[in-house]
Amino acid sequence: DSTDRRKALPVRPMTGPQSNIVHVIGAGLAGSEAAWQVAKSGVPVVLHEMRPDRMTEAHRTDGLAELVCSNSFRSDDAANNAVGLLHAEMRRLGSLIMRAADANQVPAGGALAVDRDGFSAAVTKALNDHPLIEIARGEVSGLPPADWSNVIVATGPLTSAPLADAIRELTDENALAFFDAIAPIVHRESIDMSVAWFQSRYDKVGPGGNGADYINCPMTKEQYEGFVAALIAGEKTEFKEWETNTPYFDGCLPIEVMAERGPETLRHGPMKPVGLTNPHDPTTKAYAIVQLRQDNKLGTLYNIVGFQTKLKYGEQQRIFRTIPGLEKAEFARLGGLHRNTFLNSPKLLDGQLRLRAQPRLRFAGQMTGCEGYVESASVGLIAGLYAAADARGETLASPPATTALGSLLGHITGGHIETIEPGTRSFQPMNINFGLFPPLASAPTKKPDGTRLRGNEKTVAKKQAMSALALADLDRWIADHLRIAAAA
C-alpha cells in the first residue's frame, strides 16, 4: 500500500531557502514527470498531491500517476508516428513515465499499453524513494504561498475549484473547458470467445505483443444499426447547469455523440472492420467490429476501445451486452464523464510555460492545452527541466521546433492560428502530430534504390525523414544544453 509505505519512509526535511526548492502541485503524469526531472537535475522538490485527503470524481486510488481513462500510450512506432517519436524523445531524456510504462507494458498490437496499477505503483515507488523528493499530501487551495518562488502547477483537468478560481482571478481570463469521457472495462473470462477472436489489425506486432493482441467482436449490418439506434436513444448522464455549454474534445468523444453525428461514423472510427478476419466465419465480412484491449498484465481485464461514454450505468450494461461476444459481459468498471479545464496558454504563458502575470508559476500537463497521457507527461518533463535550470540560476534553451517535444511546446505557447472572429479564441487541446512540425527544407523524392517515390510512399518517407531529423536534433540539444543537468 502506497500510503503505508509513505508513512514508513524517513522524513526528509527540505532545508535551505525556498528559492532553491521547486514545488510541484499535482502528482498525475505531468507532475510526477516534472518532479522526477527536477530531482534528477540535482534540485530538491516538494511534490504536492491532494489525494487521498481530497479525491476527484475520476480517481479511485491515492497512487501517483493514476491512469483514469485508457491504459494506452498509443503508437510506439518512432519512425512513422508522431506519438511514437515523442516516446523515443522522452526515453532519451530519462523519462520516469516512459520507464514505468516500458516496465509494465501489456500486449496491444502496435501500441504501448500498460497495466495501470503496476504503472502507478512503479511511478509512486520511484518518487517515494528519491532522496531529493518530498511528497506532501494535502490540497493547495488558492495560489501557492508567496515565498514559493519556483512552482509548477500540474493539477490537470480536475483542478480543484479554489486553485482554479485563484488562477482565473489572477489572469482575468476564463479557462476553457471540455468534457473527457472514460471507457468501460470488462472481465476477460466473461467474453464469449466462440464468437470473438484475438487479432491485431493487419496482424501488426507491437511492443510486448504478438500480432493477436485485441479481442474482436463482429457485427452484422442489422446488429450495427440496432446498436447505433440504442446508443442514440439510451439514457445519458445529465449535465450540471455549469457544464451545459462545455464542448467535447474531438479526440475523446463519447461513443453516443459519435453515433449522433451519422449512422456510418462509428464504422469509420472505433468500429471499423478493416484489417481483421473472423476465424469462426472467414468467408463472411463483418459490417462492424468492436475491439477490446488488454488492460492489466494478468490479462484478466480488457477495455472496450474507443467506447468512452456518458450513458448511465444501467444503460451501458444493457446496450453493450448486445455486442456479439459480450452478451454475458461482467464489467470491472463502467464508463464515466468528467469536465476538463485548460488555459488559453498562448495568451497566458510565455515560451517557458511561465504565467506572464506571475512568472514564479509555471504550468504543465493537460491544463496547458495538450491532450493525451504522453503529451501531458512530456510537457511536465520540459517544465521540470526549465524549473531546475531556474533553481540553478541558469536559462535552458527550448528544445528544437523540429522535435516532437519542441513542436508540441510551440503549439501550446503560440503555434495555433488566431481566430478572425472578434471576442472568440481558437486555441484548442492538441495531440502530438506531424502537422505541428515545421516543414522539411527538402522532402525526400526517391527511395534508397534511386527509384521515384509515388503516392503514399511520399507521405511515409516524409514522416520517417521528420522523425530522423527530430532525434538527431534532440541529441544535439541534449549534448549542448543538458550537460550540466546530467552531471548534477
Side-chain angles (χ1 to χ4, degrees):
D1 180 273
S2 57
T3 304
D4 292 341
R5 174 176 175 75
R6 189 173 60 253
K7 290 177 180 177
L9 288 172
V11 176
R12 300 187 299 263
M14 292 296 176
T15 58
Q18 285 290 321
S19 60
N20 292 331
I21 298 174
V22 176
H23 291 265
V24 179
I25 305 175
L29 274 73
S32 295
E33 184 65 59
W36 180 257
Q37 293 295 328
V38 171
K40 194 162 67 74
S41 299
V43 175
V45 56
V46 181
L47 178 59
H48 301 266
E49 173 53 54
M50 69 179 186
R51 294 177 292 119
D53 295 358
R54 179 169 178 178
M55 298 298 288
T56 74
E57 293 180 359
H59 290 86
R60 61 183 180 86
T61 76
D62 69 346
L64 309 186
E66 178 185 340
L67 303 181
V68 299
C69 190
S70 168
N71 71 322
S72 175
F73 283 49
R74 313 197 316 279
S75 174
D76 200 48
D77 184 350
N80 298 284
N81 189 285
V83 74
L85 173 60
L86 189 55
H87 290 178
E89 293 182 3
M90 291 174 68
R91 289 183 180 113
R92 294 187 185 205
L93 288 163
S95 165
L96 172 62
I97 293 303
M98 290 308 302
R99 188 181 84 180
D102 290 337
N104 290 277
Q105 67 182 26
V106 296
L112 173 61
V114 304
D115 178 310
R116 66 181 72 230
D117 292 331
F119 169 80
S120 175
V123 174
T124 302
K125 182 179 187 305
L127 294 172
N128 262 327
D129 289 351
H130 199 290
L132 289 178
I133 298 175
E134 175 187 334
I135 299 175
R137 298 283 180 163
E139 182 179 3
V140 177
S141 57
L143 288 180
D147 64 342
W148 293 8
S149 61
N150 196 341
V151 181
I152 298 173
V153 181
T155 45
L158 300 175
T159 298
S160 63
L163 180 55
D165 290 342
I167 295 168
R168 189 175 295 115
E169 183 177 346
L170 179 64
T171 61
D172 192 29
E173 176 83 18
N174 287 326
L176 298 175
F178 59 92
F179 280 119
D180 216 357
I182 299 171
I185 296 175
V186 176
H187 288 280
R188 159 69 180 83
E189 63 183 10
S190 69
I191 302 171
D192 184 356
M193 297 306 295
S194 69
V195 175
W197 74 96
F198 279 100
Q199 186 185 6
S200 300
R201 204 176 299 280
Y202 299 110
D203 301 307
K204 187 170 184 179
V205 177
N210 60 11
D213 303 328
Y214 291 78
I215 294 177
N216 302 277
C217 300
M219 280 187 173
T220 63
K221 186 174 187 294
E222 293 73 20
Q223 289 169 331
Y224 173 79
E225 290 174 346
F227 180 72
V228 169
L231 288 175
I232 295 172
E235 191 175 2
K236 283 85 174 178
T237 301
E238 294 294 329
F239 295 151
K240 298 180 178 66
E241 183 178 350
W242 53 269
E243 297 175 322
T244 53
N245 294 321
T246 303
Y248 294 109
F249 170 61
D250 278 345
C252 202
L253 284 175
I255 190 169
E256 61 275 4
V257 173
M258 286 189 274
E260 290 168 354
R261 293 187 172 185
E264 293 293 291
T265 302
L266 291 174
R267 287 189 68 240
H268 292 87
M271 296 176 66
K272 57 181 177 286
V274 300
L276 299 163
T277 301
N278 184 354
H280 305 302
D281 188 4
T283 61
T284 301
K285 177 72 173 177
Y287 190 76
I289 291 176
V290 174
Q291 289 196 306
L292 295 92
R293 177 178 54 227
Q294 187 173 330
D295 201 82
N296 65 343
K297 271 195 171 177
L298 293 175
T300 56
L301 300 176
Y302 276 70
N303 62 67
I304 312 180
V305 177
F307 270 45
Q308 304 84 217
T309 183
K310 60 172 182 169
L311 288 167
K312 289 192 172 181
Y313 284 174
E315 291 289 76
Q316 288 184 46
Q317 295 183 70
R318 179 181 67 82
I319 295 171
F320 295 157
R321 284 176 180 153
T322 66
I323 298 170
L326 300 186
E327 293 90 346
K328 297 181 179 179
E330 295 297 329
F331 295 90
R333 184 187 72 186
L334 289 163
L337 190 70
H338 60 272
R339 191 172 185 263
N340 204 338
T341 302
F342 62 97
L343 300 172
N344 186 14
S345 294
K347 178 179 179 180
L348 301 179
L349 305 182
D350 69 11
Q352 293 211 342
L353 301 169
R354 292 172 295 207
L355 190 66
R356 297 181 192 276
Q358 198 168 120
R360 73 186 180 100
L361 304 179
R362 180 176 270 111
F363 286 80
Q366 205 163 332
M367 68 187 309
T368 64
C370 62
E371 175 60 21
Y373 290 149
V374 182
E375 290 88 338
S376 296
S378 73
V379 177
L381 187 156
I382 190 63
L385 291 177
Y386 285 148
D390 283 353
R392 295 193 303 268
E394 302 164 1
T395 299
L396 176 65
S398 296
T402 52
T403 64
L405 183 57
S407 66
L408 185 62
L409 187 64
H411 167 74
I412 291 169
T413 58
H416 72 304
I417 300 173
E418 286 288 355
T419 179
I420 60 173
E421 184 179 350
T424 63
R425 297 188 302 235
S426 62
F427 179 66
Q428 290 292 329
M430 184 69 72
N431 291 115
I432 186 64
N433 63 85
F434 284 114
L436 299 180
F437 291 59
L440 292 169
S442 178
T445 59
K446 294 184 178 180
K447 303 177 189 178
D449 63 5
T451 58
R452 182 169 293 278
L453 293 167
R454 300 183 182 280
N456 189 55
E457 293 176 339
K458 293 181 180 179
T459 301
V460 172
K462 180 181 175 182
K463 288 180 178 179
Q464 291 176 349
M466 294 174 82
S467 294
L469 177 62
L471 293 177
D473 286 353
L474 182 75
D475 286 342
R476 279 190 288 271
W477 179 74
I478 291 172
D480 291 343
H481 300 287
L482 295 186
R483 286 176 295 184
I484 295 176

